[in-house]
Every structure is written in C-alpha cells, then in structure tokens.
Amino acid sequence: MEMSEELEANTMDSLVDMPFATIDVKDDCGIIDVPQINLERSEGNEWLSKDQIKKRKKKHKDYQPNYFLSIPITNKEVTRGIKILQNAIIQQDKRLSKAMTNDGSFHVTLLVMQLLNDDEINIGIDALLELKPCIEEILQGKYLTLPFQGIDTFENQVGFVKLAEGDHINPLLEIAEAAKRTFQEKGILAGDSRSFKPHLTFMKLSKAPWLRKKGVQKIDPKLYEKFISHRFGEEMVHRIDLCSMTKKKQSNGYYHCESSIVIGDKNGGEPDDAELVRLSKRLVENAVLKAVQQYLEETQNKNKQGDGSSMKTEEADRNGTGSDNNRK
C-alpha cells in the first residue's frame, strides 16, 4: 500500500509543476488533458484510415509528458526572496520543509512534451534550435524581462510566485505558442488543452506524501499572507533549456538538460561553455552508438557468410566422400 502511495506521489510530483491555469491534483493517475489535435486528417491533409486514427488515438491516450522547456531562474535577488518566503513558511510549520522546491530548480515552464527515446530527444533538440529564430523575430532585438510579484496556489496544493502583469506577457505567450507549434509540427506530442499560465513554483505538497497522514491536506493561505503582494525581483530571460522530468538532476539541483538556446545574447548566438559540453557529449554518445551498431551489423554479416561457407565445405566433404566410396 505504501509503495502504491509513493508511486502515485512520484507521478504527481513529475506532472503537477506544469504551466496550466488549473491542475486536477485529485486525479489518481496524475494524467493531464491530452492536446487537442485533429486525428481525421494527416499532415498532408489526406483522410486517414480507421486503423491509423485508432493508433493515433491510442498514442494520445497514453500521452504523459516527461520533458519540458524551462526558463531557468538565476537572478539572486529572486531566488533569495523565495528562500526567505520558504523559511518563513517552515518557521510556522517545520513539516513543510520537505515540500519546498530546491533553489537550484527554480524555473518557469514554457511547454511540456513526451519524448520516449533517443531519436525523439534528438528531434526535440532540433525543434528547440529551430525555435530560436522564431523567438528573435518575436522579441525584435529587445530583451524579455519577467517581473515576479505576489503568491498564489493551484488548488491549495502547489504554491507559486506569480508573474506580474505588464508588456512582457504578450511576447512570453507568443513564445510559448511558437514553441508548441514548432514541436508539434515535428510530430512531437506537446502542450496541453489547458491555458498557459506562467508561474514559478516554490512548494508542492506532493513532494512529501506523508504530510497527508499528518493532517496537512492543503497549503494554508495564512502561511504566506505577508508575501501576498511582495515584489521578488526580475529575471531577464537569457536561456531556454530542454529538460527531463525523470532523469537525475545536476549537482546544482537543476534538471537534467539535453540542450539549450541562448536568448538576447550579444555574441551572435555563440553557445556558452555548458552548452558546448552538452553538445560535445551528445555527439560522442551518438558516434559511439553508431560505431557499436555498425560493428554488430558487420559481425552478423560475417557470421552469416561464415555459416554459408561452412555449409558449402560440409557439402563438398560429403560429395568427396561419396566419390571415394564409388571408386572403391
């Protein structure tokens, strides 16, 4: 029973921190709404067969995001303010310390998606790289700054710092829509039918499922009432990462990152050192995989050829033996 509850909690923990206006945290399976995609026509605008529609519907039914596009929050003023908020809550209820988001994980989610294997991850990386010129066109050479002010929750289960209103909202929404379109056009299951609501999560009860047994059913608004209109500072968007929800996090607490694009950079889009390391690592991994596959294919071909030669030799031996017997 405990294992079942822990598995449910882990599933919820992965899915609950997502960019949706509403989150049904009561859903036992932790399944989110499926993206609304026309299943009757293919990309070529041709009618699909019933079998094709059935397969696609099954794929969409099994849709469970495991990757996301992240805007990392690195401004120390913002992260320091959130830590002060978290400590203030913990002082009122020490049990909630286990429900807090680590400061290395602070981010705003742009898009969630499902990438099931290395091929799909590579397609996702390509989509992210294609997204950069779209973002540059939206921003028109301007920087995108995100001001954070106030506190809110999703169903009193996930606590987050709100994004303040302002001129930054429209370009951010345009970028999120462009990201969704770019990834979906590459055949990736991405996005959600719920409306996009950017937020910065600082705690979620699903991180500590045992809290329910201790009587903590929701986040009490009194815990954060002093911060209800607090200004946490601004984050200038400088990078967008393709991150995994399930792979082991980095040593600094941030998510495992497959690739990144730099936004609003002055160096003509040159990748930073961390991105060069990630790209180099992926190139090496791909080269090793190809070499192994080639070796296995060559070995299999040689074995087949060897088997054929052995059969011919055995046949020749039999024929030779038969001739000898005839001569006798």
Side-chain angles (χ1 to χ4, degrees):
M1 180 70 179
E2 292 180 0
M3 284 295 291
S4 177
E5 290 181 359
E6 183 178 354
L7 179 61
E8 177 185 346
N10 290 337
T11 303
M12 291 292 290
D13 191 43
S14 296
L15 293 177
V16 78
D17 182 16
M18 294 181 182
F20 311 126
T22 57
I23 293 183
D24 185 7
V25 291
K26 296 178 182 178
D27 187 345
D28 292 336
C29 298
I31 301 300
I32 63 172
D33 287 348
V34 175
Q36 299 301 309
I37 298 175
N38 187 349
L39 294 175
E40 293 184 352
R41 288 183 180 271
S42 66
E43 292 180 0
N45 206 32
E46 296 176 355
W47 290 101
L48 300 173
S49 67
K50 290 183 179 180
D51 288 340
Q52 287 174 312
I53 294 173
K54 189 175 180 181
K55 287 179 181 179
R56 288 197 179 186
K57 282 185 176 179
K58 184 183 186 304
K59 188 176 181 181
H60 283 72
K61 186 179 179 181
D62 296 338
Y63 176 63
Q64 186 163 317
N66 59 342
Y67 274 82
F68 65 103
L69 291 186
S70 165
I71 297 175
I73 304 302
T74 58
N75 185 343
K76 290 183 179 179
E77 180 188 359
V78 177
T79 57
R80 184 166 54 245
I82 296 176
K83 291 300 291 182
I84 292 172
L85 163 66
Q86 291 176 325
N87 290 332
I89 293 174
I90 293 171
Q91 285 178 5
Q92 298 173 73
D93 192 338
K94 290 182 172 58
R95 297 173 300 177
L96 295 175
S97 62
K98 299 297 183 181
M100 297 299 167
T101 303
N102 296 329
D103 54 357
S105 299
F106 293 146
H107 70 281
V108 172
T109 302
L110 267 181
L111 180 72
V112 295
M113 69 197 72
Q114 179 175 274
L115 303 175
L116 297 178
N117 50 52
D118 287 341
D119 288 340
E120 291 188 359
I121 291 172
N122 286 329
I123 293 172
I125 292 173
D126 290 341
L128 178 61
L129 296 176
E130 287 185 16
L131 180 61
K132 179 167 181 171
C134 297
I135 295 175
E136 291 174 345
E137 185 176 347
I138 292 170
L139 296 180
Q140 294 291 308
K142 299 178 182 177
Y143 287 99
L144 179 60
T145 302
L146 306 179
F148 294 98
Q149 180 180 5
I151 305 296
D152 202 351
T153 69
F154 288 128
E155 303 289 337
N156 292 316
Q157 299 295 307
V158 179
F160 62 89
V161 177
K162 296 193 295 183
L163 188 63
E165 295 295 327
D167 295 338
H168 54 279
I169 295 292
N170 283 339
L172 181 62
L173 294 179
E174 286 183 43
I175 290 172
E177 186 61 33
K180 183 178 179 180
R181 183 175 61 252
T182 301
F183 277 76
Q184 287 184 348
E185 284 177 353
K186 283 190 168 291
I188 293 173
L189 285 178
D192 187 81
S193 60
R194 297 165 179 160
S195 59
F196 173 65
K197 184 174 183 178
H199 61 278
L200 202 175
T201 299
F202 67 85
M203 71 177 294
K204 45 189 175 182
L205 297 183
S206 64
K207 287 175 66 68
W210 51 267
L211 285 171
R212 295 179 186 177
K213 295 180 180 179
K214 298 292 184 179
V216 181
Q217 302 294 329
K218 63 179 183 178
I219 301 172
D220 189 342
K222 292 181 180 179
L223 294 171
Y224 55 80
E225 61 182 355
K226 292 181 180 179
F227 295 84
I228 202 71
S229 300
H230 180 75
R231 294 179 181 272
F232 289 86
E234 300 179 341
E235 177 73 32
M236 184 178 291
V237 179
H238 66 283
R239 200 178 79 224
I240 295 177
D241 303 320
L242 176 61
C243 297
S244 169
M245 297 181 190
T246 56
K247 292 183 179 180
K248 185 178 179 180
K249 290 184 177 181
Q250 301 178 39
S251 58
N252 62 0
Y254 191 61
Y255 298 89
H256 173 87
C257 183
E258 300 289 353
S259 187
S260 305
I261 54 174
V262 178
I263 305 300
D265 57 305
K266 297 179 181 179
N267 298 321
E270 294 179 4
D272 57 17
D273 291 342
E275 174 62 3
L276 287 173
V277 170
R278 283 192 290 270
L279 290 174
S280 298
K281 184 178 178 182
R282 178 159 289 279
L283 286 172
V284 170
E285 289 175 349
N286 289 342
V288 170
L289 284 172
K290 287 181 180 179
V292 171
Q293 289 174 351
Q294 185 177 352
Y295 171 77
L296 291 174
E297 289 174 1
E298 291 177 353
T299 302
Q300 289 175 352
N301 290 334
K302 286 181 181 179
N303 288 338
K304 288 179 181 179
Q305 292 174 358
D307 292 342
S309 299
S310 299
M311 290 178 65
K312 289 180 180 179
T313 302
E314 290 175 3
E315 186 178 350
D317 289 343
R318 286 197 298 271
N319 292 337
T321 303
S323 299
D324 291 342
N325 290 336
N326 291 334
R327 282 195 292 271
K328 287 179 181 178

